[in-house]
Amino acid sequence: MSEQIKRDVFLRDLRRSLEQLSWNAERQFAYVDDLGVDVDEIALEFDDLFRIAESMATQGLISTDFFTRLKGIDSQLSTMTRKGAEVWEREKVKSSKEWETLRKLATETLKAASDA
């Protein structure tokens, strides 16, 4: 597979993940309920892609600015995880500052994805 195809597939999957992170709580719940998983699944999906992003940035396949934005999301998710299981409870997903910040970061990063 060519580097361009790898990049295109990666960016497609990453955009999907960013969209999921940016959704409101009800839409996130509908997505994970359809899958039969907990809401942390959307964070796990992003984490898988973030690990690939590190390599893509090193190879110059995504911009440094874009990777920095992705690191911001990863940092927010790490902060949320350190706070414990409470952050992942449905009521917190709906109303917590942590989730509000995460959605904002994901929305901003999604807008920047076209310049990746």
Side-chain angles (χ1 to χ4, degrees):
M1 185 182 307
S2 76
E3 293 300 313
Q4 184 61 43
I5 292 172
K6 285 181 188 178
R7 182 182 185 275
D8 291 348
V9 169
F10 166 75
L11 288 174
R12 179 201 65 207
D13 293 346
L14 184 60
R15 281 185 190 100
R16 179 185 42 87
S17 179
L18 291 169
E19 286 172 1
Q20 293 165 354
L21 291 171
S22 71
W23 289 342
N24 65 39
E26 294 308 318
R27 191 165 178 194
Q28 289 171 329
F29 296 148
Y31 173 73
V32 297
D33 290 348
D34 281 348
L35 294 176
V37 296
D38 292 325
V39 74
D40 68 336
E41 182 63 28
I42 59 175
L44 296 171
E45 289 176 9
F46 174 82
D47 186 62
D48 290 343
L49 292 163
F50 180 71
R51 302 300 155 220
I52 296 169
E54 291 177 304
S55 173
M56 300 286 275
T58 300
Q59 296 173 47
L61 296 173
I62 60 172
S63 72
T64 303
D65 178 62
F66 186 62
F67 182 65
T68 299
R69 290 174 181 274
L70 296 174
K71 285 195 299 189
I73 293 171
D74 183 65
S75 176
Q76 177 66 16
L77 287 167
S78 294
T79 297
M80 291 166 67
T81 299
R82 281 192 301 275
K83 289 188 175 194
E86 178 181 304
V87 174
W88 304 97
E89 293 173 3
R90 287 188 177 235
E91 195 53 44
K92 293 291 185 179
V93 173
K94 291 179 188 178
S95 62
S96 74
K97 177 78 170 149
E98 292 87 0
W99 278 92
E100 180 183 324
T101 299
L102 177 62
R103 289 185 182 102
K104 181 179 179 203
L105 289 170
T107 299
E108 291 169 355
T109 303
L110 189 57
K111 288 177 186 173
S114 60
D115 298 327

